[in-house]
Amino acid sequence: MSSIKVLLAFALGASNALAQPADPCAKIGGQKWIAPADLRACFTSFPVDPVIKENIIEVINKTLGFHTSTNYQIQAPHPFDRDVREDVLADLSRIRRRSRKSDCDLHIDFSRTLKRLNDGHCTWTNNCYDSLFLNYLPIPLVLLTDARGTQSVHIAPAAFDVSTADFPNQIQVWQDALPGNLKGKLSTLSGANVLQINNEDPFVAVNANAAITGSYQSFGTRQNSFFSSYQSAPTGWMYIIGNFTQQALPLHDNAELTLQVSGSIKPIRIKLPFRARNGPNTVAFTNSTTFRQNNCVARPTTNGIDINSLMDHAPIPNVDLPLTLQPPSSLPGSGGTAARFYLLKDRVTGVLALGSFLDVSYEALLESLYTGLVDLKERGAKRLVIDVLLDMPGFVCIAHLVGAKATTVPQAGLYTTARAGPLDQEIVSVLNRDPSIDSTLSLFYNPLAWRNITNEFFDADDHWLRPVVRKVINGRQDAFSPRLGQECQPQGFLIPPPEEGLFDAKQSVIVSNGRCHLQISITENGGTRNVVVGGKKDVKQHFCGVIGGQSTNFRQMDTEVKSTGLKDHSLAPPDLLVNGGQGITWRLGFGIKNPAEPAEWQDHTATINLPLTVQTSNNPQAIWEEVVKRVFTV
Ligand SMILES: *[C@@H]1O[C@H](CO)[C@@H](O)[C@H](O)[C@H]1NC(C)=O
Ligand SMILES: *[C@@H]1O[C@H](CO)[C@@H](O)[C@H](O)[C@H]1NC(C)=O
Ligand SMILES: *[C@@H]1O[C@H](CO)[C@@H](O)[C@H](O)[C@H]1NC(C)=O
Ligand SMILES: *[C@@H]1O[C@H](CO)[C@@H](O)[C@H](O)[C@H]1NC(C)=O
């Protein structure tokens, strides 16, 4: 009897297995490195769930109600009129009407729609897909300029060192994929001139990436994202391999390249497979059910909390800059993890390399910057190179330490404004009535957190969003708070700003890749020059890639709403059902050159676009020395 049951069960199981296609997520479950096609098969095996689709639309739509720039971004003013023209709310309606084959296809539509804003503060991320696995090639690229000024795309000279360090277990797969007698000789490709990518001029691929990578307003900055770069991180100097060799979604299986390798006359053609590696936040799964459960549904941290009851999804770089490219050790006492100091061989040029601020307190950062700069001066530095080759949240107030004080008066920070729609106003009214809701000053709408136009703090019963400033932007009615004061001086600046700036702004130069935003106040206040490294020479390079004012996300806004008991308000976003998030600019910074208009839309053209060569590419010290040659004539 029981054996018949077993047989029957076996027969039923077997016929089920035959009738049902294999689970595409089970195939990749538990694996570290996989083929992108297999990942795609898993990702695209889930149909669109109409409830989830509508939930995401509603969360994004209503969170954008708190985003200062939605109406500006419909058609940005000159000089960004060609870079930013996305009516995101209209596009959400389009997404609602359009049907998609899979939940993954739907996600790509959401993600690209928000990325078209080219605003790194305002992106939609769904951790079910974005960077769950990263799609890699072992050949980061650089844009090099030769002695005659001709620019061409190359495989980075350090490519092989970097990929063997980062992908020790996969390198053989790529070695074996090389054709004929190149097999096993991946190292010989380092430095090769890339004549074509997928049978077209390399800039076709560069520009295709610039169209979808998002984050930075300026086209030049988005072009440069394709190539490798470096950054100073808390753990040391890191190599960023760039968008060509690292992708957040498994959309490509191979790259075909036509190369001119040094020492060979005939160009060679290679085809390398992309390989996908699971990311640091992937929760292990065994099949479709556990993939969805572990990675795709909302987590305890997805939605906001009621504080009384008690999140650019950019992957963290984890490849060290090869030793041959690293600057010598920094000066003793180099401050904290965020700042490193160097004195160049000329003994008169100091270098301040700024890294990620995320792990240090603002006070510790100011302290370390101040002591480090004073130490540089004591060692004889007369001029300063500030290297900010990274993508970091800007703390504009530190500008005080650099440029002459006269130029940072009344302040180095930006004046700002927040949006003042009916829900925003209601949140402040609730807090006015009952300040005890937020005794710890955790809520963004707490009046006590902000200063009025004369830089005095508001009182608990001030309705700081009123009188509302009405504007018509791109034909849409909009409403903002009165102009808010800045937060650098005097109370916000714990160390009293030096009487004189520590370095003359004209003897300071900022080196960047255009991705950060701190330098705007240093530059526009004091006349410090700006160098952007490695851009295409006929493309205008902007030194400021993303300027907001203050950025935050759906979760914080949901916390504001829940803590003030306004979750039922018709404009309040519902709880998000998926493991995702929406970023926003919550306060918009006004410009320094033109204080009447948002800084975001003002021209930030770099003084110099520094061409990179074989010697200088991704070599910080060589870049600093080249900058000194070009910028300081004495
Ligand atoms: C966004 O929300 C507003 C306010 O509730 C609503 O009028 C509008 O139709 C919504 N748009 C979309 C695309 O859902
Ligand atoms: C998926 O995997 C989990 C845990 O490994 C297991 O309990 C479950 O039965 C599996 N589901 C299916 C449909 O195979
Ligand atoms: C693409 O490049 C930009 C700029 O460096 C970076 O912020 C983004 O994280 C990159 N995307 C991926 C998937 O690495
Ligand atoms: C700013 O706040 C201070 C202190 O409450 C007040 O005296 C001043 O009039 C305010 N300034 C403006 C322009 O409202």
Side-chain angles (χ1 to χ4, degrees):
M1 218 27 184
S2 65
S3 63
I4 292 172
K5 251 191 193 160
V6 170
L7 266 175
L8 198 60
F10 180 77
L12 281 172
S15 67
N16 270 346
L18 285 178
Q20 273 174 22
D23 178 340
C25 300
K27 182 171 178 192
I28 58 170
Q31 316 246 9
K32 187 165 182 64
W33 284 96
I34 56 178
D38 290 339
L39 182 57
R40 229 167 32 240
C42 167
F43 278 4
T44 57
S45 66
F46 304 93
V48 173
D49 175 334
V51 173
I52 286 178
K53 174 176 173 177
E54 191 52 34
N55 173 254
I56 295 175
I57 291 174
E58 199 179 345
V59 166
I60 297 177
N61 178 32
K62 291 184 171 167
T63 304
L64 289 175
F66 299 99
H67 174 59
T68 53
S69 310
T70 310
N71 287 328
Y72 287 101
Q73 287 168 330
I74 295 171
Q75 174 60 67
H78 182 77
F80 298 104
D81 46 337
R82 290 165 56 113
D83 292 306
V84 181
R85 38 185 182 192
E86 165 64 29
D87 186 342
V88 60
L89 299 184
D91 243 344
L92 287 177
S93 301
R94 172 192 58 79
I95 293 176
R96 177 180 282 132
R97 291 190 304 268
R98 171 142 192 199
S99 71
R100 290 277 174 192
K101 276 208 211 80
S102 73
D103 185 54
C104 181
D105 293 309
L106 174 65
H107 167 64
I108 293 170
D109 202 351
F110 279 125
S111 171
R112 296 229 167 129
T113 294
L114 272 296
K115 277 182 192 270
R116 276 195 293 276
L117 297 171
N118 293 329
D119 176 350
H121 293 140
C122 189
T123 54
W124 163 253
T125 307
N126 187 340
N127 301 304
C128 173
Y129 304 112
D130 291 315
S131 304
L132 189 77
F133 281 71
L134 286 164
N135 212 23
Y136 288 112
L137 283 176
I139 44 168
L141 304 181
V142 288
L143 179 62
L144 298 183
T145 306
D146 69 15
R148 290 193 305 275
T150 308
Q151 292 192 301
S152 50
V153 174
H154 288 254
I155 294 181
F160 188 70
D161 294 346
V162 166
S163 15
T164 42
D166 196 23
F167 315 127
N169 311 322
Q170 268 316 277
I171 211 78
Q172 201 58 43
V173 173
W174 286 306
Q175 292 282 23
D176 293 343
L178 289 172
N181 56 11
L182 275 174
K183 205 177 175 115
K185 295 188 187 147
L186 189 60
S187 64
T188 61
L189 303 183
S190 295
N193 185 351
V194 179
L195 305 176
Q196 291 193 318
I197 297 174
N198 297 329
N199 302 313
E200 294 193 276
D201 183 277
F203 267 87
V204 172
V206 172
N207 294 344
N209 178 64
I212 60 165
T213 190
S215 288
Y216 305 101
Q217 286 163 15
S218 135
F219 179 65
T221 313
R222 283 178 279 122
Q223 277 190 324
N224 300 346
S225 298
F226 190 78
F227 300 104
S228 62
S229 56
Y230 65 87
Q231 83 174 54
S232 163
T235 48
W237 287 91
M238 306 306 254
Y239 194 95
I240 316 279
I241 63 178
N243 285 176
F244 174 61
T245 43
Q246 173 171 299
Q247 306 181 345
L249 291 169
L251 303 183
H252 297 108
D253 294 317
N254 299 288
E256 283 184 54
L257 286 88
T258 309
L259 302 172
Q260 183 74 55
V261 182
S262 82
S264 125
I265 306 157
K266 261 180 45 198
I268 54 168
R269 288 171 61 93
I270 61 163
K271 180 168 165 182
L272 282 172
F274 274 92
R275 298 288 294 167
R277 178 171 72 183
N278 66 6
N281 303 320
T282 316
V283 178
F285 58 92
T286 49
N287 53 36
S288 294
T289 312
T290 51
F291 162 66
R292 295 289 285 191
Q293 266 167 10
N294 298 354
N295 294 289
C296 304
V297 298
R299 297 191 173 168
T301 52
T302 302
N303 293 294
I305 52 165
D306 177 344
I307 55 168
N308 290 291
S309 67
L310 225 266
M311 157 179 118
D312 190 288
H313 63 99
I316 299 126
N318 53 358
V319 198
D320 289 340
L321 196 64
L323 281 177
T324 50
L325 296 176
Q326 296 221 6
S329 42
S330 53
L331 293 172
S334 270
T337 54
R340 293 188 172 84
F341 296 93
Y342 303 87
L343 190 62
L344 294 188
K345 284 186 225 126
D346 62 17
R347 314 295 304 171
V348 292
T349 310
V351 177
L352 157 60
L354 280 173
S356 168
F357 294 163
L358 293 174
D359 64 330
V360 286
S361 76
Y362 181 53
E363 291 73 25
L365 174 73
L366 282 176
E367 176 91 48
S368 74
L369 285 177
Y370 185 73
T371 45
L373 290 172
V374 167
D375 177 62
L376 268 185
K377 282 202 83 157
E378 279 167 4
R379 287 172 193 266
K382 306 254 178 293
R383 54 201 194 192
L384 184 66
V385 174
I386 306 172
D387 183 318
V388 281
L389 287 182
L390 78 168
D391 176 3
M392 67 178 180
F395 279 170
V396 292
C397 303
I398 69 168
H400 284 287
L401 292 171
V402 182
K405 196 189 172 197
T407 61
T408 52
V409 168
Q411 46 102 358
L414 303 176
Y415 289 100
T416 60
T417 182
R419 231 166 160 192
L423 175 56
D424 315 64
Q425 291 191 51
E426 192 51 37
I427 296 172
V428 176
S429 298
V430 170
L431 289 168
N432 285 158
R433 285 197 295 271
D434 185 1
S436 74
I437 289 174
D438 183 29
S439 51
T440 55
L441 252 176
S442 323
L443 296 185
F444 281 32
Y445 284 95
N446 194 324
L448 296 175
W450 313 115
R451 298 163 190 242
N452 68 14
I453 188 70
T454 47
N455 299 323
E456 308 251 18
F457 279 107
F458 288 105
D459 293 327
D461 59 354
D462 284 332
H463 199 297
W464 63 275
L465 295 177
R466 294 178 186 156
V468 169
V469 179
R470 310 242 167 236
K471 284 192 180 167
V472 176
I473 301 162
N474 284 317
R476 313 274 168 100
Q477 297 284 343
D478 215 331
F480 293 90
S481 74
R483 185 172 295 243
L484 302 172
Q486 51 86 22
E487 289 112 51
C488 299
Q489 277 180 320
Q491 297 95 324
F493 198 70
L494 298 183
I495 304 169
E499 274 310 309
E500 295 278 309
L502 290 169
F503 287 88
D504 178 357
K506 303 224 162 32
Q507 289 301 312
S508 307
V509 57
I510 299 175
V511 183
S512 81
N513 51 23
R515 285 182 212 144
C516 57
H517 42 172
L518 130 105
Q519 62 270 49
I520 106 157
S521 81
I522 306 185
T523 322
E524 302 197 336
N525 269 319
T528 304
R529 280 163 289 186
N530 265 287
V531 176
V532 167
V533 265
K536 192 163 184 288
K537 47 178 191 186
D538 56 0
V539 173
K540 184 153 150 177
Q541 302 296 318
H542 288 262
F543 61 79
C544 252
V546 48
I547 306 165
Q550 182 176 5
S551 57
T552 184
N553 52 30
F554 156 73
R555 182 173 189 234
Q556 178 66 34
M557 293 299 107
D558 194 35
T559 294
E560 307 282 327
V561 162
K562 284 176 175 157
S563 301
T564 49
L566 292 168
K567 190 71 177 174
D568 291 337
H569 194 286
S570 64
L571 297 177
D575 274 15
L576 186 56
L577 300 175
V578 300
N579 179 15
Q582 174 64 44
I584 57 165
T585 301
W586 181 70
R587 282 190 302 143
L588 188 62
F590 287 105
I592 289 169
K593 279 188 194 143
N594 178 359
E597 293 297 328
E600 196 162 12
W601 312 118
Q602 296 183 27
D603 188 86
H604 305 294
T605 309
T607 333
I608 295 171
N609 174 6
L610 183 79
L612 292 174
T613 64
V614 178
Q615 287 75 31
T616 55
S617 96
N618 288 324
N619 184 329
Q621 188 176 13
I623 289 174
W624 303 333
E625 284 167 359
E626 188 59 33
V627 165
V628 169
K629 268 196 233 155
R630 285 175 188 245
V631 170
F632 301 120
T633 42
V634 274

